[in-house]
Structures are given as structure tokens and as C-alpha cells.
Amino acid sequence: MAFVGFGTKAGMVPLHIWKPKVYASAPDNTSSLMAAVMLKIAIYGIVRHLFDFNAIDSSPDYVWLGMGIIIIGSISALVGILYALVENDIKRALAFSSIENVGIIFIGLGLSVVFAAFHLPSLSVLSFIASMFHTLNHSIFKGLLFMTAGSVHYSTHTKNIEDLGGLIKKMPWTAMMFLIGSVAIIGLPSLNGFISEWLTLQSLLAVFQIPSNVLQVSLAFAILAFALTIGLAGATFVRLFGVTFLSKSRSVNAANAIEVPKFMLIGKAILASSCIILGILPFIGMNLIVSAFNLPYMPSSPFETISITNSDDSNFASLMMPGVLVILTSVFVGVFVFVRIIGGKTKTMKYGTWDCGFGNLSEKTQYTATSLAEPIRRIFGVFYKPHNDIDADFYTKKNLYLKKSINVISTTRNIFDEKLYGKTISGSLFVLNKIRKIQSGKVNAYILYIMVTLVALLLFVGFGTHE
Amino acid sequence: MSDFSIFEYGLGILQALLIIVLSPLIVGIMRKIKAKSQKRIGAGICQPYYDIIKLLRKDEIVSDQSSWIFRVTPWINFVTTASAAFFIPVFLIYSPFGVVGDVLLVVGLFALGKFFMMLAGLDVASSFGGLGSIREMMMSVLVEPALFMTIFVIALFYDGTNISTIVSSANDTSILIVPGILFALIAFFIIMMAETGKLPFDNPSTHLELTMIHESVVLEYSGKNLALMEWSHAIKQMILFALFVDIFFPWNFVEQISLVGISIGILVFITKVSVLASFTAFIETLVAKWRLFRVSDLIAMAISSSMIGVIFFFL
Amino acid sequence: MSDLILPTQIDLLHVSAVILLIATFGIVVRRGFSDWLHAYRYQTIILAGVVTLIAFVTSIWELYIVSALTLGIKAIIIPKVLFYVTKKLDSPIKLEMNPYVSLRISVIASALLVAMSYFMALQLPISSDKTISVFLPVSFSLFFIGLFIIISRRKALNQIVGLLTIENGLFLFAVVVTHGFSLIIEIGLMADILVGVIISSILLFRMSHTFDSVDIKNLESLRDD
């Protein structure tokens, strides 16, 4: 029960529908605070409940509880990011992405419970740190992103990214902050999101130490959902940043935008620099977590390597962000010198974008936010039920290729709003209708029934003899 | 963890430099083989080097719509890709920089470069760039699960995501003893084709709206920036090839460090990579470009193949 | 320089099981009529190889004959018959256009079916030779993937290929569990399949004549409403 309550607060699927609506309508400064702090209270509540009120022992109940948390976490992550991807309201998109991040945190927590139930304390601590570090990171970069989104709203008076564009030239510092936030949230190296996602992945990789085949395989498949989430998050923020800040302005408001006052930038700069510092020296954050939760784990110096070893002392995986930074800088210097020596000094000219010789590239020819999401909308059509209303106006009725104007209204639906909450009443009728459809006359369908029955029976027999 | 001497770090840098320097050569070899198998003569195998040097010396034209993202992207792309080369073993069985990062870091560095590349495609305000970006976006979203699943299989069989650990345990076994790794091989091969923009996924040799993915993102680049983009693409391909031969065909690594040993090791490595490159070039000649929305079928195959790999490990 | 470690018998069995599974996936991912038949043929050739391997490991000489029979009837004659049928069919498009389940989902579903088969093989109390029990889950997978092909596709030809895949799975199962039926029964089974394929080819012809297509959706009109 406690899990359902706190879960609703943290915004897990399917109890998440309040969240995008509230975040989008809250004032700009409040929503960043809400994302950063309120969400974490819910997670804190769950953590306390799990680890304090009932000491975890190796009863199968805890295994199933952990598995349940992982499953809900994966679904939240996937569904949250899928809806973030098609959302045109920048703040709603960020709210959906919060749901995704809560999902990732839950995956870590659930793994921690499962490991603890199987008496694997070191792995349990590893995944717990992963999940808590992601919580910390999320409050930093999500706060940053909501603040920058607020600044955009402040100077353009719109939250619809279809009306934005080209803001990087008008608001360079805000754009920079949003870029840092995006790189951090999609878990790219050298910022803090990478570390926590790396740790979560490593704890997912460690499932082979669980002594149960079924759990091993099903947890291994959880990695699919996790990886898909990471990929979709990348696409989401390419789209958000690209449409909001790059290319040409799509409306007058965006074209007349000005940079926000300095004091609004300072707060963001602090958050952005903590993203960078925690990315390069992750042990600062981890030591905080270790001391806060009193974990049986030694705090270490900030420059140390994160390292996981096998039983035979060979290196399973290790990561040393300062070292990565050194390599990146030295490569950069090397390339810069090389290019200078070989290439010499060259001039750079400014000229219009290549227009295929037609001329007049306007802001209408560039890709819009909706068209950027189109391929993914098509592939994951199950979740969106995409629907295009095409309304074409022809010059003559004879030639349908000469169009005067064409108006496409393309909509996506939130299946959770509609299907789960709208259809609970009509659901029973629906089920009855389905039952009537069993006798369809399709040969395939009949064989499907046979197969389902067979599989069910075989599984039943298998379990029955096993116990 | 054992500490390495300065000499060994020097060898590590040599390995990375080998990957960076030899990558255009592999591109040249692949183009030559493709040309030959299509009954054309084709340019010499050193042509990519001439191209890069020529481009580096040219003046460049930058779109007036673009911002600093556009100008910074080639550098970020090159630096991340070239840094990833430091973690790949070439003739030694390990890379001295293995402690710094693992295969997930390599993936992350690639993703960072790709992220900026997609932004640069959107930055120039032309529909070509946007077109390339969304296609690239779709592909990377779909490839991601397959990639992580394959890494998972490899990490399970060869205990670790650390590349040096993977290669040394791969060297101790053979593909015939660990059959589950065969599934990882298939999946990795498909991913490799997708990531380097090879033919069923992307046709790198045309400039046609219908087919191009990678080319339309770099369409607006010229001069130095174009050279860096092309070169980093070549390095990425080389790194993936090197990982492929390191993980699945880990034979003939140098054990005693001597001048002769190292040169033999380098020669063996070049041969292995060239054989793989020729094989991919042949495949490219054989297949046609797939429709964009059918590409996901192929990636689904990679995913399911690595899923069965997992099953083979556990059951 | 490390020596190449030579594989043992059990490793060989594992490898052949892997190759057989991969060949089975070849049927799932293809779209064209003749592609399926090619894929089926490769699969059967590999199956014959596997049976030979089992014969070698268990040293039962009947299995060699069974393997040769498999190669002869299932890998050569049946594909020939079906190729002939494909060539003679009227419909101009010889592709599975829109199956009930899209290709990418069916590939992943098949992977899940393989997972389930392995899981079930662990659970079922069928005790068998250690070396050969490698193939028990594989035979299950073949069986289920065959069923899945029948369910998910529209074209009648693919239903035949699915049926043949199921048959391959059952055949492998029989070889694994009982080390082969007696030779007479085996030959009888082969003849049975041959007749079955010929009858279904005739049905295919009738179908394409009556409905102008081989889409099994047309069979729905046979329902008594």
C-alpha cells in the first residue's frame, strides 16, 4: 500500500497522469523545485519503507517485491520517455522525462532489493548507490532543465516548441545550460548522468550471480527496456534542443527573444557546474550518499577509479573519469596541432545554406518538431495510436496532384488516459465481445488456441512436477 | 590492478595511433574491393588520405544560419571517436588504458559524437540536415537495445565489460567451445553494419534524398570540418572492426615485446581487419538498400539473436 | 601465442544446435515464397548433419540411414515439389505482404519461444542421454516456431513450411528421446510427409484457382454462419 501511495507521488506508470499536467501549469520556478525536491521525497519514502521498516531477508516475498519494482520501473521509464518524445510543450516533455528517470531509479532500487534477498550485500550496495546517485543527479539536471525551460518561456511567452527555434543566437547562455542539462540527462560521458546510468547497467550486468535461472533470464531482458529508454531519451533531447534552440526562428516571439537577466543565469550556472563536477569526480556524490545512508562501504578519495572485480581478481569493469578527461584533452590538443600543421591557415566564409538551387529557404522548409518525431511515432504506434487528418484543397478536381493548399492535422493519443481510465467501465462489455469473437473461422486462430492451451498445460506440468 | 610502465603506456598510445592512422586505409581497401566486385577499376587504396589532406588545406564555407554547435561538432566528433581508440587492444592483448574505461564508455563516447552530429544536422535550417538527423535518430534508438544486449552477452561469457579482460578471456577459449558467442557474433555484425552506415541500412555512396542518412547530416560541411567528419567516421568503423576481430577472432597477440614481435603483430592485425573489411564490402555489393521502415526488422534479428545468446549462457 | 583449444564432442553438439537454431530463424525472417523454401532446405540439410552427428556420438548405425533419408526426401524432393508449385501459381506477387504479426515482432517472439523451450526442457522430467539432451530444447523450439509461423502468416504456402518445421522438430525430438524409431516406421513417416506435401500442393492449386490468391483469409468464408 505504501508503495502505491509513494509511487503515485513519484509518478510511476500507470499512476502518472497527474504529473505532466501539474508541471506544465505550475509557475516556472515552482516546477523546477517540484522536480528536484518533491519527487525525491516520494523516493525517500519508498526507500525508508523498504530498508528500515522491514529488514530484508531471503524470503521469496522480497524477491517478488524487487521484481515488481523493477518491472514497474522499466515500464515507467519506457512509457515516460515515449510520451516525452512526441510532446510539443517543452515543460510537459520534461515532466514526462521525469517519469522516465523515476523509472530508472526504481530499476536500481528493485535490483538492490533482489540482491539483498539473495544475500549478495556488495551487489545490493552497488545498485543502491546507482539508484541514489541517479536520484541526486536527476534533481540537479532536471532542476537545470526546468529552469532553462522557464527562461525560454519568460522571454518568448510560449512553451510550444513549434513556435520556437533559433534561440541559440538570441540566448546563448541559456542554450549552453540547456545543452549541458541534456547531455547529462541522456547519460553521455563526462557528465554526471553517465556515471549513474553506467552503475545501473553494471548492476544489471551482475544479475548472473543470482542463483535462479528464471530471474536471471527475465532480468537480462530488462536490459532491453533500459537500453531502449536510453536511446529514446537521446532522441527526445536532440529533438527538444534542436527545435527550440537551433535553425531559424519559427515565430515572431522567438525572433525577438532576448537573453534573460544575469541573476537568472547564476543559479543555472551553479547547477550546470555541479553536473560537470559530479561527472568528472563522481566520488564526491557517492561519498555523500554513503555517509547519508550509513552504508557498509568505505568512502574513498575523489580521484579513485570505480572498479568491479571478478572472483579471480580480474577486472570486470572500471571507470576513471579524470583519466577520460585527460585522454579527451590530449587528443584534442594533438588533433588541433596536427590540423594546423597540415592544413595551415584557412579562411572561413559565411554563405547561405545549400538550397538545391531553388532559392528562398524559409523557416517553413525546415523540419518541425512533429515531423522529427514521426519515424518513432510510426514504429511505436501501439503507444500513440497516431492519426493523420489530411485535408487537401485542389485547383481542379481532375488533377489531384496540383494542390492549392494541404492541411494535415496529426494527433497522437495518450493511451493511458483513454484506455485505462476512460474505459474501465466499458471494459467488461469489451471483454464479453472478445469472448464472442473466439469462434472466428480463421484457421490461424484455432491453431493459436491449441498452442496456448498446449503451452499452458506444459508449463503447468513442468511446475507441478518440480515442486 | 597491475601498474604499467611508461614504456607500456607508450605502446598503448602507439596502438591508438595505429587505429587512427590506418583507418582511411581500410576505407580505401573497402572502396577498392567494392569497385572491383562491381567490375569498376576504382581509385587507389590511398585515395582517402589524399582526400583528407586536400580537404584540410581548403577554405571552408559555413552556413549563415548555423551557430557554434555546427562549428564545434566536427571537433567533438573527432575527439570522442579518437579517444575511444585508446581503449582498443591492437597487437597487445590488453590496452594500458583499460582501467580508465570499459566498452560502455566507448559506446558512450560514440553516442556523444552522434548526439552533436544530429544537432549539427538540425542547425543549418535545411530540410536535408533534418532528414538525416531524424533517420540517424531512429536508427540509433533501435540499435541501442541490440547493442546493449550484445554487450551483455559478451560480458557474461567473457567475464567483464573491460575490453582487456574480454579479449584475454576470449583468447583463452575458442568460438567452438563457447557456442553462445556465435549469437553475439551475428548480432554484433548487424550492429556494426548499422553503426558504420553500410548498405542494407544506409548507402554511403549516393547523394539522393531517398537513401542517404549519414551523408545528409554532413552535407553542409566543407574544408577542415568535412575532413574531420570523414576521418572520424573512418576511425569509428576501424574501432568497430578492431573490436570485432579482438572479441571473436582473438589469435596471434604479441606476448614478448620485441621489435619483430610487434611488427608481426601489427601485420597480423592489419590482415585480420582487411579480411573483415573485404567481407563486409562483398556483402555490401550483394544486398540492396532496405526501405527505412524495414531496417527495424534486421535490428530485431540482432536483438533476438543476442537474447538467445543470453539463454544459452543461463540454461 | 596461445594454442587453439580443440573442441570436444559435447562442444560440437552445442555448436551444431546453435547452427540449427540460426537456420530456423532464417525461415522466420524471410518474406518471399522461394526464400522460405531455400531457408527450409538449409534447415533440413543442417538437421541431417545433426542427426549424423548424433549417430556418430551414440554409434547407432540406423541413424545414418535416417539422416540420409532426411537429406533425400526432405531436403531435395519436398523443396522441389514446392518450388514447382510456386512457379505454377497464378498470383504475380510472391511475397508475404502483411502478415498478422509484423516481421520484427515475430522474430522477437520466436526468441522468447526459444527461451520458453529451454525453460520447459529444464522442467520436464524427460530423462535422456546427457550428450543428446542438448537437442531437446532445440526440438521444442523448432516445434513452437513452426506453430508460430502457421499462426502469424497469411499465405498458405507458408503454412506448409510451418508444418514442415514442426515436423522437423518432432523428428528431432524422436531421435533425441528414443534414439530413433525403428527404420520401418521412419520410412513410413517420410512417405507420409511426402504424401502430405503433395496433397497440400494440390490444395494450394485449387485455392489459387478458386480465390485467385493463396491468402488463407479466404477460408473464412467456409464458416457456417
Side-chain angles (χ1 to χ4, degrees):
Chain A
M1 285 312 282
F3 188 66
V4 171
F6 285 119
T8 315
K9 179 111 176 123
M12 66 189 192
V13 172
L15 305 168
H16 68 281
I17 51 161
W18 62 273
K19 207 164 162 180
K21 292 176 187 162
V22 173
Y23 276 29
S25 48
D28 299 334
N29 42 5
T30 324
S31 49
S32 84
L33 201 65
M34 272 162 66
V37 182
M38 249 173 70
L39 219 93
K40 307 307 170 310
I41 295 173
I43 290 167
Y44 180 73
I46 291 175
V47 168
R48 282 241 89 97
H49 232 291
L50 282 177
F51 291 89
D52 282 5
F53 293 162
N54 23 25
I56 290 173
D57 50 28
S58 56
S59 74
D61 292 352
Y62 285 103
V63 177
W64 291 116
L65 178 67
M67 285 302 282
I69 297 177
I70 293 172
I71 290 167
I72 287 176
S74 320
I75 295 173
S76 296
L78 208 52
V79 170
I81 201 65
L82 274 171
Y83 285 115
L85 187 60
V86 292
E87 190 56 63
N88 279 344
D89 182 325
I90 186 165
K91 285 177 80 178
R92 276 177 68 101
L94 289 178
F96 272 123
S97 138
S98 283
I99 297 175
E100 173 235 337
N101 280 289
V102 168
I104 292 177
I105 292 166
F106 275 9
I107 293 178
L109 266 184
L111 278 172
S112 176
V113 173
V114 173
F115 285 139
F118 279 111
H119 289 297
L120 297 163
S122 52
L123 287 176
S124 176
V125 169
L126 170 76
S127 40
F128 186 74
I129 289 181
S131 120
M132 285 303 111
F133 195 44
H134 197 74
T135 316
L136 175 68
N137 291 339
H138 179 244
S139 54
I140 294 171
F141 51 61
K142 192 43 73 65
L144 176 64
L145 285 171
F146 265 118
M147 275 158 87
T148 34
S151 305
V152 169
H153 185 202
Y154 172 83
S155 42
T156 60
H157 309 291
T158 176
K159 284 183 288 185
N160 186 354
I161 55 173
E162 296 280 28
D163 293 337
L164 298 172
L167 290 181
I168 195 169
K169 284 160 224 131
K170 309 285 181 337
M171 313 166 67
W173 290 108
T174 313
M176 185 77 199
M177 303 296 167
F178 197 90
L179 186 65
I180 289 174
S182 324
V183 172
I185 201 172
I186 58 184
L188 292 180
S190 78
L191 291 185
N192 56 359
F194 178 68
I195 312 285
S196 47
E197 280 179 9
W198 190 86
L199 284 172
T200 314
L201 262 175
Q202 288 296 349
S203 35
L204 266 175
L205 282 176
V207 296
F208 68 90
Q209 300 193 11
I210 296 177
S212 156
N213 279 327
V214 188
L215 286 186
Q216 280 170 339
V217 173
S218 40
L219 282 175
F221 290 163
I223 216 169
L224 278 180
F226 187 68
L228 194 59
T229 310
I230 295 176
L232 285 168
T236 308
F237 281 90
V238 164
R239 175 174 171 272
L240 276 185
F241 185 82
V243 176
T244 314
F245 290 100
L246 300 179
S247 68
K248 284 185 179 170
S249 307
R250 293 181 177 79
S251 73
V252 188
N253 276 345
N256 294 333
I258 43 161
E259 182 64 281
V260 291
K262 271 208 188 78
F263 66 87
M264 279 178 84
L265 285 172
I266 291 170
K268 278 174 250 165
I270 295 170
L271 288 180
S273 45
S274 46
C275 272
I276 297 172
I277 290 170
L278 281 182
I280 310 271
L281 304 171
F283 271 101
I284 295 177
M286 278 186 236
N287 285 343
L288 269 179
I289 293 162
V290 168
S291 55
F293 287 97
N294 242 339
L295 293 175
Y297 179 79
M298 291 297 272
S300 36
S301 88
F303 292 95
E304 211 146 298
T305 314
I306 310 171
S307 148
I308 304 162
T309 46
N310 284 325
S311 47
D312 59 339
D313 222 31
S314 60
N315 192 341
F316 185 87
S318 63
L319 189 67
M320 188 165 76
M321 287 319 284
V324 175
L325 192 71
V326 169
I327 291 180
L328 283 174
T329 4
S330 46
V331 168
F332 176 72
V333 172
V335 174
F336 193 76
V337 171
F338 175 79
V339 167
R340 257 300 150 87
I341 290 172
I342 296 286
K345 215 170 161 54
T346 51
K347 280 183 292 183
T348 307
M349 268 191 293
K350 283 218 168 192
Y351 198 73
T353 304
W354 187 56
D355 49 16
C356 307
F358 284 109
N360 287 338
L361 274 185
S362 75
E363 63 277 0
K364 284 186 180 156
T365 53
Q366 62 194 4
Y367 263 72
T368 60
T370 313
S371 53
L372 273 177
E374 173 61 26
I376 296 188
R377 220 171 57 145
R378 245 172 94 170
I379 290 175
F380 297 99
V382 197
F383 287 99
Y384 302 129
K385 305 276 173 233
H387 181 70
N388 287 347
D389 274 329
I390 299 173
D391 186 12
D393 194 7
F394 306 107
Y395 283 112
T396 51
K397 281 272 172 264
K398 282 172 205 153
N399 191 342
L400 295 184
Y401 291 99
L402 290 175
K403 296 183 181 85
K404 198 193 282 171
S405 71
I406 184 160
N407 188 19
V408 181
I409 299 167
S410 150
T411 48
T412 54
R413 287 187 248 150
N414 192 327
I415 53 162
F416 281 93
D417 283 8
E418 290 185 7
K419 287 275 155 61
L420 197 64
Y421 293 95
K423 283 202 174 162
T424 25
I425 302 162
S426 57
S428 48
L429 269 177
F430 186 70
V431 171
L432 291 176
N433 267 327
K434 274 278 179 213
I435 293 173
R436 205 192 298 165
K437 272 189 192 156
I438 283 180
Q439 208 250 358
S440 64
K442 279 180 195 149
V443 186
N444 314 50
Y446 291 140
I447 297 174
L448 176 68
Y449 307 145
I450 298 172
M451 179 171 168
V452 168
T453 322
L454 185 63
V455 168
L457 277 176
L458 278 174
L459 282 177
F460 180 71
V461 170
F463 277 118
T465 51
H466 203 63
E467 277 162 16
Chain B
M1 233 13 247
S2 56
D3 287 312
F4 298 108
S5 64
I6 304 233
F7 177 64
E8 280 176 292
Y9 279 115
L11 283 181
I13 293 173
L14 179 66
Q15 296 197 74
L17 282 181
L18 265 177
I19 286 183
I20 296 170
V21 171
L22 286 177
S23 58
L25 182 72
I26 297 297
V27 174
I29 290 176
M30 286 184 73
R31 286 200 188 138
K32 187 76 177 176
I33 286 171
K34 260 175 97 173
K36 282 277 181 213
S37 55
Q38 293 161 358
K39 296 218 164 173
R40 289 184 284 122
I41 296 170
I45 54 171
C46 290
Q47 190 60 37
Y49 288 107
Y50 306 144
D51 287 348
I52 286 173
I53 292 172
K54 183 189 72 186
L55 283 171
L56 281 176
R57 292 192 175 144
K58 289 221 168 203
D59 288 351
E60 53 189 320
I61 298 176
V62 175
S63 159
D64 51 2
Q65 298 298 330
S66 63
S67 61
W68 56 268
I69 296 267
F70 182 78
R71 257 150 285 162
V72 137
T73 297
W75 293 95
I76 290 182
N77 211 354
F78 189 87
V79 169
T80 50
T81 329
S83 307
F86 279 83
F87 306 111
I88 314 292
V90 173
F91 51 84
L92 296 175
I93 201 161
Y94 59 89
S95 158
F97 300 98
V99 196
V100 175
D102 61 348
V103 69
L104 295 177
L105 180 75
V106 172
V107 171
L109 286 171
F110 283 163
L112 184 61
K114 210 185 225 174
F115 177 73
F116 274 93
M117 207 164 83
M118 290 191 271
L119 288 185
L122 288 174
D123 196 16
V124 292
S126 82
S127 11
F128 275 105
L131 174 143
S133 287
I134 57 164
R135 290 181 182 173
E136 193 89 55
M137 200 156 101
M138 188 192 106
M139 295 265 288
S140 60
V141 164
L142 292 176
V143 162
E144 208 89 334
L147 185 58
F148 278 105
M149 205 68 189
T150 313
I151 290 174
F152 190 82
V153 177
I154 293 169
L156 287 180
F157 279 105
Y158 292 149
D159 357 275
T161 55
N162 188 315
I163 299 175
S164 306
T165 313
I166 292 175
V167 175
S168 64
S169 27
N171 196 30
D172 293 342
T173 56
S174 96
I175 225 163
L176 290 175
I177 294 182
V178 201
I181 212 74
L182 256 165
F183 290 112
L185 187 145
I186 294 174
F188 195 94
F189 190 75
I190 295 175
I191 293 164
M192 202 171 74
M193 300 292 261
E195 281 282 308
T196 53
K198 290 283 168 293
L199 208 53
F201 298 94
D202 177 13
N203 191 347
S205 54
T206 61
H207 279 140
L208 193 68
E209 302 87 315
L210 283 174
T211 58
M212 62 187 186
I213 298 177
H214 177 73
E215 286 300 318
S216 61
V217 180
V218 300
L219 190 72
E220 281 291 323
Y221 282 109
S222 57
K224 275 197 180 84
N225 286 338
L226 182 61
L228 285 178
M229 282 302 236
E230 294 289 329
W231 197 357
S232 53
H233 196 65
I235 295 173
K236 185 176 178 183
Q237 173 178 313
M238 182 77 172
I239 288 176
L240 286 170
F241 282 175
L243 264 181
F244 190 85
V245 295
D246 277 349
I247 295 174
F248 300 110
F249 305 99
W251 308 316
N252 285 72
F253 284 108
V254 180
E255 280 183 352
Q256 276 104 24
I257 295 171
S258 67
L259 205 59
V260 182
I262 289 177
S263 17
I264 290 176
I266 294 174
L267 273 181
V268 167
F269 174 77
I270 294 176
T271 325
K272 280 196 287 191
V273 172
S274 322
V275 168
L276 180 63
S278 333
F279 180 66
T280 15
F282 267 123
I283 291 215
E284 270 201 279
T285 314
L286 283 177
V287 297
K289 165 97 173 63
W290 281 27
R291 199 158 55 83
L292 191 67
F293 286 98
R294 271 197 71 203
V295 159
S296 51
D297 295 354
L298 209 56
I299 296 173
M301 213 180 130
I303 293 176
S304 59
S305 172
S306 43
M307 273 162 79
I308 301 177
V310 172
I311 295 159
F312 252 73
F313 181 79
F314 284 132
L315 300 176
Chain C
M1 193 169 143
S2 68
D3 303 297
L4 199 65
I5 300 158
L6 280 176
T8 55
Q9 276 186 350
I10 183 107
D11 292 325
L12 269 181
L13 287 176
H14 268 293
V15 171
S16 58
V18 168
I19 295 172
L20 185 58
L21 270 181
I22 292 171
T24 313
F25 269 78
I27 302 178
V28 183
V29 293
R30 293 305 185 80
R31 294 207 309 172
F33 284 11
S34 50
D35 291 340
W36 295 328
L37 296 178
H38 278 300
Y40 171 70
R41 187 154 66 185
Y42 292 138
Q43 190 213 21
T44 316
I45 291 171
I46 291 163
L47 181 69
V50 165
V51 174
T52 319
L53 201 63
I54 294 176
F56 175 70
V57 172
T58 56
S59 51
I60 298 173
W61 64 270
E62 279 112 328
L63 284 181
Y64 286 113
I65 302 174
V66 171
S67 144
L69 270 177
T70 317
L71 201 65
I73 294 180
K74 288 207 278 191
I76 296 170
I77 300 178
I78 291 180
K80 266 235 163 87
V81 171
L82 289 176
F83 271 126
Y84 175 77
V85 173
T86 333
K87 213 178 267 174
K88 290 283 165 167
L89 280 182
D90 299 331
S91 72
I93 304 163
K94 288 171 181 168
L95 276 178
E96 176 87 46
M97 291 310 282
N98 46 348
Y100 287 114
V101 183
S102 75
L103 276 185
R104 50 178 172 270
I105 295 175
S106 59
V107 172
I108 290 178
S110 319
L112 286 176
L113 284 175
V114 173
M116 199 190 65
S117 326
Y118 268 81
F119 178 60
M120 270 178 351
L122 279 187
Q123 305 282 326
L124 286 183
I126 301 173
S127 60
S128 163
D129 202 329
K130 254 280 176 255
T131 47
I132 292 170
S133 62
V134 172
F135 290 106
L136 188 63
V138 178
S139 68
F140 279 7
S141 322
L142 251 66
F143 179 75
F144 282 118
I145 290 175
L147 268 181
F148 187 73
I149 290 173
I150 296 187
I151 291 166
S152 63
R153 303 300 168 83
R154 275 177 200 274
K155 297 287 188 265
L157 185 70
N158 212 347
Q159 314 270 323
I160 299 176
V161 174
L163 191 71
L164 289 171
T165 312
I166 294 179
E167 204 283 326
N168 272 351
L170 287 177
F171 170 70
L172 187 61
F173 181 77
V175 169
V176 168
V177 176
T178 65
H179 291 199
F181 304 126
S182 71
L183 210 49
I184 296 288
I185 299 179
E186 209 64 82
I187 294 170
L189 273 179
M190 295 278 180
D192 219 25
I193 299 159
L194 199 58
V195 172
V197 167
I198 291 168
I199 290 175
S200 43
S201 322
I202 296 168
L203 270 176
L204 257 180
F205 273 128
R206 304 287 328 160
M207 229 177 117
S208 75
H209 272 291
T210 329
F211 297 119
D212 273 339
S213 93
V214 286
D215 195 330
I216 52 159
K217 210 174 169 224
N218 297 314
L219 294 182
E220 276 175 42
S221 57
L222 300 180
R223 175 164 69 159
D224 181 26
D225 271 325

